[in-house]
Amino acid sequence: MHMENTSLQKVVARYIEAFEKEDLGIIEDIYAFDASVEDPVGSDPHHGLAAIKAFYKKAFEMGVKLQLEGQPRCAGNSVAFCFHVLMPGIKISPIDVFELNDAGKIQRMRAYWGPENMG
Amino acid sequence: MHMENTSLQKVVARYIEAFEKEDLGIIEDIYAFDASVEDPVGSDPHHGLAAIKAFYKKAFEMGVKLQLEGQPRCAGNSVAFCFHVLMPGIKISPIDVFELNDAGKIQRMRAYWGPENMG
């Protein structure tokens, strides 16, 4: 399935916006109800919207903001993008990959980062 | 399964080196015999080492070189990285993701890029 690249880019923009506004309503809107979030890859994924919202609620409460780096890479039903995770005194630079379902919701999120990508 | 991040980074370095030296021997060494390469994501994957070598042979013949951008992001058995594909007059900036098997060989390669990431 191929999505319009503009739709994929819009989901990334709304994801950044959710952190900017600390808005769980956006998280609820962009994720499928049965989505999974694996952050970082290799850790136990969060399954389902309730667990996913709890995960982002914690990040919002910690004051995490995201800064996109470069253009998102859209391909098929997926988008990969580089960004910085910013907290006071902390900077992490992951690559996230979103896989979208036919309804345009994020079905699977995987975050690639390790100790080398901090600071 | 978690791999040492140094092993994951080394595979990325050897991948870049394969293009630099136009060396299919390196491709043969870093990929599993039953690996798949999906480039770009959404297109029909190349399955198995013979098809994969044919794919890279074409790229080497076209004089494609790769330039890593930033630090690879290692997580679990996977590594994601930004780079530039350089050909005379052409520049593409994908994000690739390698999933490694227990033997440390690339089992699955996915390349994320679209028209917005060219030029």
Side-chain angles (χ1 to χ4, degrees), chain A residues 2 5 9 40-42 69 71-76 78-82 93-95 97 99 110-117, chain B residues 2 5 9 40-42 69 71-76 78-82 93-95 97 99 110-117:
Chain A
H2 280 265
N5 287 357
Q9 287 175 326
V41 165
E69 192 198 352
Q71 190 81 348
R73 277 72 156 182
C74 304
S78 296
V79 55
F81 58 103
C82 299
S93 301
I95 290 175
V97 178
E99 258 180 65
R110 278 171 292 188
Y112 298 84
W113 61 277
E116 302 88 2
N117 312 121
Chain B
H2 282 264
N5 287 357
Q9 286 175 328
V41 166
E69 191 198 352
Q71 189 81 348
R73 277 70 158 184
C74 304
S78 297
V79 57
F81 58 102
C82 298
S93 300
I95 289 174
V97 178
E99 260 180 64
R110 280 173 290 189
Y112 298 85
W113 61 277
E116 303 89 3
N117 312 121

Side-chain angles (χ1 to χ4, degrees), chain A residues 77-95:
Chain A
N77 66 345
S78 296
V79 55
F81 58 103
C82 299
F83 64 102
H84 305 294
V85 174
L86 305 173
M87 280 176 281
I90 299 174
K91 185 180 176 184
I92 310 172
S93 301
I95 290 175

Side-chain angles (χ1 to χ4, degrees), chain A residues 5-6 13 22-23 25 27 31-32 48 70 73 77 87 92 109 118:
Chain A
N5 287 357
T6 47
E22 303 177 11
D23 185 347
I27 296 297
Y31 272 100
R73 277 72 156 182
N77 66 345
M87 280 176 281
I92 310 172
M109 181 280 227
M118 299 179 74

